[in-house]
Amino acid sequence: PEIVQAVLSGRCDLGLVDQPPDHPSLTAEPFAREPLCLVLPNDGAEPSWQQLCRLGFIDHPDGHSMALRLLGRRYPGQRFAEIPARGFTNQIGLILAPVARGLGFTVLPRFAVTAFAQQAQIRVIQGQPEVIDTLWLIYRAEWPLPARYLRLISALKEPLSAQ
């Protein structure tokens, strides 16, 4: 909501959000699609619902919504509210640190998982169905984007399309 308000108020010209806003003054375009990953400590434990409840959740600003989407599909009939929160951080580079130390599990987009330096300390659980997160680029609908923004958007999309 803060990003949408910043674009609407003119404090920002562009924004990236995880849901397309329903506002007539904004244009929303898909920017990137990224699979969500269930990430656990690399301790060999099976990712059963009971194991997730024992581990607890390491939350982050989008953690609750990402976890609801992924866990709801992978563990139908279970309630995310049963899983205790074991931590919270709003620093993307720190979310996996407590997971690597065995303090809980989390759900993140693949790009955040692959950027984590201690890959040997975490385990990404592959499963079906795959849940894809779409990031939306938003900007004011009243005027076209300047060419410099179009070049910026293209440059930002280039490494994403290479994955």
Side-chain angles (χ1 to χ4, degrees):
E2 295 87 11
I3 295 170
V4 170
Q5 283 305 320
V7 173
L8 283 171
S9 70
R11 291 190 327 264
C12 294
D13 294 321
L14 303 169
L16 287 175
V17 294
D18 63 355
Q19 298 292 319
D22 185 24
H23 196 285
S25 293
L26 294 176
T27 296
E29 304 175 356
F31 180 77
R33 294 174 44 85
E34 191 75 16
L36 293 179
C37 299
L38 175 60
V39 188
L40 284 83
N42 195 9
D43 61 6
E46 279 304 307
S48 67
W49 186 255
Q50 294 73 24
Q51 174 65 12
L52 296 180
C53 289
R54 277 192 296 280
L55 265 175
F57 188 64
I58 304 299
D59 202 359
H60 54 88
D62 295 321
H64 191 83
S65 66
M66 289 180 178
L68 284 173
R69 289 194 308 275
L70 183 75
L71 298 177
R73 291 252 183 102
R74 298 242 180 114
Y75 299 92
Q78 302 297 334
R79 294 183 54 239
F80 180 64
E82 296 173 1
I83 299 176
R86 298 280 192 235
F88 180 93
T89 184
N90 63 357
Q91 299 294 315
I92 189 77
L94 299 178
I95 295 170
L96 289 174
V99 175
R101 293 179 58 205
L103 301 175
F105 76 93
T106 197
V107 176
L108 284 170
R110 181 178 57 203
F111 77 86
V113 176
T114 58
F116 186 62
Q118 300 172 339
Q119 291 292 311
Q121 304 301 314
I122 60 171
R123 184 168 51 132
V124 176
I125 305 303
Q126 305 294 333
Q128 294 297 324
E130 186 173 58
V131 178
I132 304 293
D133 216 15
T134 300
L135 291 178
W136 298 83
L137 175 72
I138 61 169
Y139 53 91
R140 294 295 299 253
E142 291 91 13
W143 52 82
L145 286 173
R148 68 183 181 274
Y149 287 144
L150 297 175
R151 283 192 305 274
L152 172 66
I153 293 165
S154 178
L156 291 171
K157 281 185 174 182
E158 190 175 312
L160 297 173
S161 63
Q163 292 183 1

